[in-house]
Amino acid sequence: MDLKDLPASAPTAGSPVVGASLPHESARLHVTGKAAYTDDLPEPAGTLHAALGLSPVAHGRIDGLDLARLKAQPGVVAVFTAADIPGENNVGPIVHDDPILARDTVAYLGQPVFAVVATHRDAARRAAALAREVLQITPLPPLLDLRAAHAAGQHVVPAMHLTRSSHPGGVVGAIAAAPHRLQGRFSLGGQEQFYLEGQISLATPLDDGGLKVNCSTQHPSEMQAMIAHALQLGAHQVQVECRRMGGGFGGKESQSALFACVAALAAQALGRPVKLRPDRDDDFLITGRRHGFEFDWEVGFDDAGRVLGVEVTMLGQAGHSADLSPPVLTRAICHFDNAYWLPDVAIHGHLPRTHTQSNTAFRGFGGPQGALAIEMIMDDIARTLGRDPFEVRRANWYGTPEDGRGHHVTPYRQAVEDNIIDPLTQTLAQDARYAERRSAVQAFNAQSRWLKKGLALTPVKFGISFNVAQFNQAGALVHVYLDGTVLVNHGGTEMGQGLNTKVAQVVAHELGLPLAQVRVTATDTSKVANTSATAASTGADLNGKAAQDAARRVRARLAGVSAQAWGVEPETVRFEAGQAWGPDGQQLGFTALVQQAYAARVQLWSDGYYATPGLHWDRETLTGKPFFYFAYGAAVAEVLLDTLTGEWKLLQADLLHDVGQSLNPALDIGQVEGGFVQGMGWLTSEELVWHPQTGKLMTHAPSTYKIPTANDVPEAFTTRLYENRNVSDTIHRSKAVGEPPLLLGFSVFLALRDAVAACGAPGCLPPLRAPATPEALLTALAAVQATA
């Protein structure tokens, strides 16, 4: 969708609000540079600046720290270490095994050991940069390789196992009895969130002993709890606020805690505001990212390519601590099936501990890693049988409850009740001319020696809800003022995805108002308490429902006022076009009605609450109903590969994605396209490299870590939303759109694999690792060319 297709301003009072392609509520602020992020807030008088002193080794024992030298540096006011933290130094969203500041040992190169506070940011950074000189550390052998850590029995949590089998011989017997069998392994790299706004916190002491922390975070309530625990405060003494983030992608769900806690520690101790904003290199070195995975698998299948049995071992690179790795692995296990019925399946998940940054949430939260593994297996099955990969995928689709085959239950025992994967992919295949282009690609490759084309169509089935049932709840406040304007506050955070726009649309729709009359304010722990992270694609689902609940409560009270005046039943009053309407044509302006309600002492504000129904999960057996519903999608990608250099170009991409009944098609299309490009970047150009001896992350800056740019987007780029309505009772029957589209990027990676295979013998299986950098492509090309 082009920007010219969007309305220049908010719709008129009579125009629809929900379902309209309205601009992001802060779009003009973004493009004019007026949007205030945490670093743009005016600094209170006397603000100090903090910087972190980082470990220069990946593993070692801390023997000493020259505090006197640090304190003597120009502009330095104070230096803080783990000994200065009055409460809990070890934090973590699940296991409290991650120190704010390292105390006795360091567990990765870049781990914060001390914090310097100075009058200016540059002074703090210069002093913190002396870490290598002022720290006395005895180096210890680091464990850096994922497979080596697994072999050594080093893990952050116990292993997870999920098995389902109906074969007398179990999964092993099902594989052994199959007409065809394959084994393989696959290396999948991680991914840096690379949010445009880095980590930042500004902590300000309050006059009653409390603290206000402005923090770029996806989880203000968790930051509140972490700060309170670290400083031995009550949660009611800590206020965390976030108006907007310049991107998060999961990197600010749990790992903003370190920066918030250090800023709060310094502010409380010094009685002055303290800001902590690391530069990009330090942000890379300190924080974790998407988990890299190693897969080993074996599969048995029949002549049509149908999977009869599959066993996979997943190794997820947790890093030095648990962080969110356990639920990430759980989601990877629960998405290994992707869109496919797997009758006999065994999944083994492990989280080896390495001396690297502790990895964390990233858009998809393990789901993309798990789903890509089965897509690689499907691709290998198709190549082994000499069949079209899309044909093999279709042979393995999930069924529906109505077809009577029982092929609609996932390995974790949740029924797939809303399966639209076949009609969706068939629609895309037809619209994108997949069969015709497949023949054209084969013809091109037959006559082109050095340039090869590749084509792939890949599906997406993605579960929506938090893995932990208790996180699937939200609250909101709706205030109606005497001039008829409305203020909304909810527990979700805005990171550019348009959450506040959608929530405002929902409230405007309920009250029959134009969008311009509704404003959403900053997320604030002093307004809506005990909120969940804005993650797992649940932002609009949870907070939209909570805001709708609050708005409906206010609307019901207003309807009662007008109904009494008109002598009608309250349920017959409707709100539309800025008016209240009676059943017999009566009407009253919304503002006039609000003023009448105030005069009658009727409450004009309300709280709202929502909890996702029907969820349950057994963490021991890995079974239950972890997801409220599934989102679906598919993509076709065509690439051109230079086999001499490993360089390639995406020629065309066609996306079709299911967002249910869209709240805002313009925002949803933007999320689909952005997710696709981010997924493509993860699997092609975004390579993370650690020095094999020192453990230093070598790709810690934009100069060495390559995210996609506008030049990577193909000229032929078609994105459409699949016409659908969620069967589950979501907000206006919409579906989540944050994470699922990232999996559409699989199509690019598998199209590259298709191009590589064109250089080998029929049936060759290209050993292409991800990301498919030019080096990885050349390695895979050399392997398949040896088979030709």
Side-chain angles (χ1 to χ4, degrees):
M1 178 173 290
D2 295 328
L3 290 177
K4 60 181 175 57
D5 296 326
L6 300 179
S9 59
T12 62
S15 302
V17 179
V18 166
S21 288
L22 304 179
H24 190 288
E25 48 95 22
S26 295
R28 292 185 183 276
L29 299 178
H30 291 160
V31 298
T32 58
K34 295 180 180 178
Y37 297 88
T38 301
D39 201 33
D40 300 315
L41 300 177
E43 294 177 4
T47 296
L48 299 172
H49 296 265
L52 297 168
L54 310 183
S55 168
V57 301
H59 188 208
R61 185 180 62 250
I62 301 174
D63 298 321
L65 172 63
D66 190 347
L67 286 173
R69 184 176 176 188
L70 287 173
K71 292 178 179 179
Q73 297 303 306
V76 171
V77 175
V79 180
F80 295 91
T81 67
D84 299 305
I85 298 175
E88 296 184 23
N89 181 43
N90 281 354
V91 296
I94 300 173
V95 182
H96 291 185
D97 62 347
D98 199 350
I100 298 170
L101 296 173
R103 184 185 298 271
D104 301 314
T105 60
V106 291
Y108 68 98
L109 193 155
Q111 182 173 13
V113 181
F114 61 87
V116 176
V117 180
T119 53
H120 297 88
R121 182 168 179 266
D122 285 346
R125 289 182 62 202
R126 279 194 290 268
L130 295 173
R132 184 177 293 275
E133 300 175 28
V134 299
L135 277 170
Q136 291 91 50
I137 297 179
T138 300
L140 299 172
L143 188 55
L144 304 173
D145 181 76
L146 184 58
R147 290 186 180 271
H150 177 58
Q154 296 295 312
H155 300 91
V156 297
V157 292
M160 302 179 190
H161 301 280
L162 174 62
T163 301
R164 177 180 68 183
S165 178
S166 58
H167 193 278
V171 176
V172 173
I175 296 172
H180 306 278
R181 293 179 297 279
L182 279 175
Q183 289 182 326
R185 64 169 42 189
F186 177 49
S187 294
L188 175 60
Q191 185 180 23
E192 167 63 35
Q193 288 91 357
F194 214 108
Y195 24 68
L196 291 180
E197 176 201 30
Q199 301 279 1
I200 180 170
S201 287
L202 169 62
T204 305
L206 302 178
D207 59 6
D208 60 356
L211 283 168
K212 179 177 181 181
V213 181
N214 293 95
C215 181
S216 184
T217 180
Q218 296 172 237
H219 202 343
S221 288
E222 185 170 297
M223 300 307 104
Q224 177 190 39
M226 297 287 189
I227 293 167
H229 290 159
L231 302 186
Q232 291 186 324
L233 298 174
H236 68 307
Q237 295 175 277
V238 181
Q239 176 189 359
V240 177
E241 179 181 303
C242 178
R243 172 63 183 92
R244 59 170 62 87
M245 284 169 280
F249 306 117
K252 297 176 181 176
E253 181 173 345
S254 63
Q255 299 215 346
S256 44
L258 187 154
F259 306 93
C261 288
V262 168
L265 167 68
Q268 186 193 50
L270 300 174
R272 293 172 65 177
V274 175
K275 179 187 283 189
L276 173 53
R277 175 172 67 85
D279 65 10
R280 181 67 66 176
D281 292 75
D282 285 352
D283 195 321
F284 264 79
L285 289 172
I286 295 169
T287 62
R289 44 200 58 84
R290 184 188 298 282
H291 296 66
F293 268 71
E294 292 285 329
F295 299 97
D296 294 289
W297 52 266
E298 184 175 11
V299 64
F301 51 97
D302 64 16
D303 292 340
R306 284 186 290 265
V307 172
L308 303 178
V310 59
E311 184 168 17
V312 61
T313 296
M314 304 179 174
L315 306 181
Q317 186 163 9
H320 76 95
S321 67
D323 196 81
L324 289 166
S325 295
V328 165
L329 180 60
T330 301
R331 188 168 282 261
I333 290 171
C334 289
H335 282 78
F336 174 68
D337 59 322
N338 196 17
Y340 310 112
W341 159 250
L342 305 176
D344 280 70
V345 57
I347 308 170
H348 312 289
H350 305 270
L351 291 168
R353 186 192 303 273
T354 56
H355 291 110
T356 56
Q357 295 85 355
S358 185
N359 288 323
T360 188
F362 196 124
R363 193 176 191 175
F365 204 77
Q369 293 97 312
L372 184 56
I374 194 66
E375 292 301 332
M376 293 294 292
I377 292 171
M378 291 294 173
D379 204 58
D380 275 2
I381 291 172
R383 298 192 184 285
T384 300
L385 296 175
R387 291 181 174 269
D388 184 283
F390 181 44
E391 177 187 345
V392 169
R393 287 182 166 89
R394 287 194 63 210
N396 285 282
W397 283 160
Y398 268 114
T400 64
E402 295 76 22
D403 65 23
R405 297 183 301 155
H407 292 182
H408 66 287
V409 180
T410 66
Y412 46 92
R413 311 301 195 271
Q414 176 170 345
V416 181
E417 299 171 337
D418 56 355
N419 186 9
I420 58 169
I421 196 65
D422 191 57
L424 186 150
T425 53
Q426 290 282 55
T427 299
L428 177 63
Q430 180 177 344
D431 293 347
R433 302 182 298 108
Y434 174 80
E436 178 183 337
R437 289 165 61 192
R438 170 60 69 190
S439 298
V441 165
Q442 291 172 343
F444 176 89
N445 289 340
Q447 57 81 36
S448 176
R449 183 177 181 184
W450 305 120
L451 296 177
K452 299 292 182 181
K453 286 185 177 182
L455 184 71
L457 190 160
T458 59
V460 173
K461 177 184 69 67
F462 197 91
I464 303 299
S465 288
F466 284 101
N467 295 61
V468 181
Q470 69 195 44
F471 296 158
N472 295 284
Q473 58 178 307
L477 298 172
V478 170
H479 293 223
V480 177
Y481 294 99
L482 291 180
D483 64 353
T485 59
V486 181
L487 193 70
V488 182
N489 190 268
H490 59 85
T493 53
E494 174 63 52
M495 61 194 88
Q497 82 279 38
L499 173 59
N500 284 346
T501 307
K502 288 185 173 181
V503 171
Q505 287 178 267
V506 168
V507 173
H509 173 84
E510 293 301 324
L511 300 178
L513 298 173
L515 190 60
Q517 269 179 255
V518 180
R519 177 171 174 256
V520 180
T521 57
T523 311
D524 188 335
T525 57
S526 67
K527 294 180 180 178
V528 178
N530 308 318
T531 59
S532 297
T534 304
S537 305
T538 62
D541 281 6
L542 296 178
N543 296 287
K545 275 285 194 179
Q548 183 187 58
D549 180 46
R552 284 180 171 176
R553 293 174 187 271
V554 176
R555 187 185 69 184
R557 297 183 193 127
L558 293 173
V561 173
S562 57
Q564 184 175 8
W566 296 335
V568 300
E569 294 298 321
E571 58 268 19
T572 65
V573 178
R574 60 188 175 88
F575 291 80
E576 185 179 338
Q579 306 278 331
W581 301 82
D584 300 319
Q586 305 98 322
Q587 72 177 85
L588 182 63
F590 184 81
T591 302
L593 175 57
V594 167
Q595 292 170 351
Q596 286 186 14
Y598 177 76
R601 295 189 294 181
V602 172
Q603 183 177 331
L604 292 171
W605 65 272
S606 182
D607 62 321
Y609 178 77
Y610 174 74
T612 310
L615 302 178
H616 57 93
W617 181 248
D618 187 326
R619 286 187 292 178
E620 298 301 319
T621 63
L622 300 181
T623 57
K625 184 183 179 183
F627 307 122
F628 191 35
Y629 63 88
F630 296 98
Y632 300 88
V636 176
E638 183 175 347
V639 300
L640 179 66
L641 172 65
D642 184 337
T643 62
L644 296 178
T645 65
E647 295 177 286
W648 61 277
K649 181 179 182 180
L650 179 58
L651 299 175
Q652 182 173 340
D654 299 270
L655 317 180
L656 182 60
H657 199 73
D658 163 40
V659 298
Q661 191 164 284
S662 176
L663 293 173
N664 187 318
L667 292 180
D668 288 344
I669 286 175
Q671 286 291 294
V672 172
E673 292 181 342
F676 168 79
V677 172
Q678 192 170 49
M680 175 181 71
W682 166 44
L683 297 174
T684 59
S685 65
E686 299 184 42
E687 186 174 29
L688 294 163
V689 178
W690 283 266
H691 193 285
Q693 281 79 45
T694 67
K696 181 178 181 179
L697 178 65
M698 306 302 291
T699 50
H700 56 82
S703 58
T704 51
Y705 185 83
K706 297 301 182 182
I707 64 173
T709 68
N711 290 331
D712 297 300
V713 177
E715 293 182 10
F717 193 10
T718 304
T719 305
R720 293 191 299 115
L721 303 179
Y722 185 72
E723 292 187 12
N724 191 30
R725 191 169 185 267
N726 200 347
V727 299
S728 298
D729 182 20
T730 52
I731 185 71
H732 290 280
R733 300 289 174 165
S734 64
K735 287 190 177 185
V737 71
E739 295 173 308
L742 186 133
L743 282 69
L744 299 174
F746 291 0
S747 59
V748 179
F749 180 79
L750 289 168
L752 285 169
R753 196 168 190 252
D754 189 50
V756 172
C759 296
C764 70
L765 306 178
L768 182 61
R769 66 181 186 272
T773 60
E775 295 84 352
L777 286 162
L778 289 174
T779 299
L781 281 164
V784 300
Q785 286 166 348
T787 69

